[in-house]
Each structure stands twice: as C-alpha cells, then as structure tokens.
Amino acid sequence: MNRLLRTSWDHLSLYLPIILMGTLALGSYLLVRNTPVFGAPDASKPPTHDPDYFMQTFSVKSFHASGQLKSEVLGAEAWHYPDTDTLEINHIRIRAFDEQGQLTTATANRALTNSDASEVQLMGNALVIRELAATAQGQIPKHIEFRSDFLHAFMNTERVMSHKPVELTRGQDRFSGDSMVFDNLGHVVELTGRVKGRLVPGVVR
C-alpha cells in the first residue's frame, strides 16, 4: 500500500507544476477580462450636448482688433456646451460697442449666446436698448428700446428680431406688433400681425 501511494505521489508530483501553471494562467485570464480599461478618450467621438464647464457671478469681455472694448457679458450663472460652442446664461447683462463706439445693451432672465456674444437669444423680460448716433446737425436722437418675451439680437450686423409680440419705443413714440425685424444699418423696422403705433409730434420752435 505504501509503495502504491509513493508511486502515485511521484506521478502526481510530475504533473503538479503543469497543473499550477494552468491554474495561474486561467486566473490571469479572468483577472484581465474583468478589469476595466482606463484609456485615453476617443478623439473621434463627437462632443455631446452636456456642459463641460460652469461659471458663477462672472464677466467676460472681448475686444476689437484696435484694442477697443467690443462686448462685455455678465451673468449670475452660465453653462458652456461644447457641441454648439454656446453659453446658456441666467440673468444676463450685455454691453456691446460697434466700431464707431455706439453702445447696445441687453438684459433678460435667460439667454443663449455664441462664443463672442455676437448672436444672442434673450428669453424672459428681454430688453435691448440701442443708442443712436448724433445727426449731421449735431442733434443727439433718443435711443431705441425693444421689449419682448423673446428677442434675437445680432450685434455685428445690428439686427434685432422676434417671432413674439414686441414693443418698440423711441422717445415718446411707441409701436407694437406680433413680430418684428429691425435693421439698424438699413434704418428699417418691419412689424407684422396686430400692429399699433403712437406718434407724438415734436415741439416746433
């Protein structure tokens, strides 16, 4: 019996290293298979519409090539979306200057703007005020105000549009309509829908 056990053990000891190596190989395979891979992000994957950074109580300025201030955007909170390169801003305030130094200001409860604030969608208590240049006679005209629940402002081309009811005020003159397109460079205002207007004659001296 002892001789049989010794013989069996001798045979088993010959195969024991092989069995151990096989067990270790199987364990390594299972470990690799179940270990998460931490690799570099896939550069070919398109950006998603999820914010990649957040700002709070901020001010962002941009400048003309001459160094003159072009625009300043202030807000309480902002989220940047990389897929569209846009900012969603709460309680926005904007100051924008054209190359002649004429000022346009804008405020709203919420806004969506592109990276340089040249195109802004204002939502909720939207107000755009355009300061007008002095006339050739040296008279300084009153500014123009636009009020609506939604205003789409194009700062570089000096256009303001809305597909919602809007009110336009210049001095004591007041107009309203269901939608509007204003082109400051072309000096044209187009109001559509239920249009109303009130013109107050100036004082003749």
Side-chain angles (χ1 to χ4, degrees), residues 114-170:
N114 61 352
S115 57
D116 63 352
S118 61
E119 182 180 345
V120 185
Q121 298 180 56
L122 302 163
M123 293 160 276
N125 295 317
L127 171 63
V128 173
I129 301 176
R130 171 68 180 174
E131 302 290 347
L132 300 179
T135 64
Q137 293 75 26
Q139 299 175 339
I140 301 177
K142 299 177 176 65
H143 59 251
I144 296 180
E145 294 186 5
F146 305 91
R147 295 178 182 271
S148 179
D149 190 55
F150 174 84
L151 291 173
H152 197 164
F154 300 84
M155 300 299 186
N156 291 344
T157 57
E158 301 182 27
R159 291 168 60 88
V160 181
M161 306 170 62
S162 181
H163 63 282
K164 291 190 175 184
V166 63
E167 184 178 277
L168 185 155
T169 303
R170 182 181 183 273

Side-chain angles (χ1 to χ4, degrees), residues 22-38:
T23 303
L24 289 173
L26 179 61
S28 299
Y29 168 76
L30 294 175
L31 181 62
V32 171
R33 183 179 180 183
N34 292 282
T35 300
V37 177
F38 298 96

Side-chain angles (χ1 to χ4, degrees), residues 1-27:
M1 180 65 67
N2 291 338
R3 181 179 300 176
L4 180 61
L5 288 174
R6 188 179 299 110
T7 303
S8 300
W9 174 253
D10 290 340
H11 286 290
L12 181 62
S13 63
L14 292 175
Y15 295 102
L16 185 59
I18 299 175
I19 295 172
L20 289 175
M21 290 298 293
T23 303
L24 289 173
L26 179 61

Side-chain angles (χ1 to χ4, degrees), residues 50-193:
D50 295 313
D52 57 353
Y53 67 81
F54 168 77
M55 295 186 293
Q56 192 170 22
T57 314
F58 68 93
S59 171
V60 178
K61 296 181 180 180
S62 62
F63 297 87
H64 291 285
S66 61
Q68 180 184 4
L69 179 65
K70 181 178 180 181
S71 65
E72 181 180 18
V73 179
L74 304 96
E77 300 156 327
W79 297 263
H80 179 261
Y81 297 94
D83 59 331
T84 55
D85 194 19
T86 55
L87 280 170
E88 182 179 349
I89 304 172
N90 285 341
H91 304 294
I92 188 172
R93 290 180 294 147
I94 298 175
R95 296 192 309 137
F97 298 88
D98 62 17
E99 294 184 354
Q100 287 71 45
Q102 297 301 311
L103 173 65
T104 299
T105 61
T107 58
N109 295 344
R110 190 168 64 90
L112 189 66
T113 173
N114 61 352
S115 57
D116 63 352
S118 61
E119 182 180 345
V120 185
Q121 298 180 56
L122 302 163
M123 293 160 276
N125 295 317
L127 171 63
V128 173
I129 301 176
R130 171 68 180 174
E131 302 290 347
L132 300 179
T135 64
Q137 293 75 26
Q139 299 175 339
I140 301 177
K142 299 177 176 65
H143 59 251
I144 296 180
E145 294 186 5
F146 305 91
R147 295 178 182 271
S148 179
D149 190 55
F150 174 84
L151 291 173
H152 197 164
F154 300 84
M155 300 299 186
N156 291 344
T157 57
E158 301 182 27
R159 291 168 60 88
V160 181
M161 306 170 62
S162 181
H163 63 282
K164 291 190 175 184
V166 63
E167 184 178 277
L168 185 155
T169 303
R170 182 181 183 273
Q172 297 184 44
D173 300 337
R174 184 165 297 179
F175 302 89
S176 62
D178 291 336
S179 62
M180 179 201 69
V181 176
F182 170 75
D183 181 1
N184 186 58
L185 297 179
H187 306 287
V188 175
V189 178
E190 181 182 350
L191 292 166
T192 57

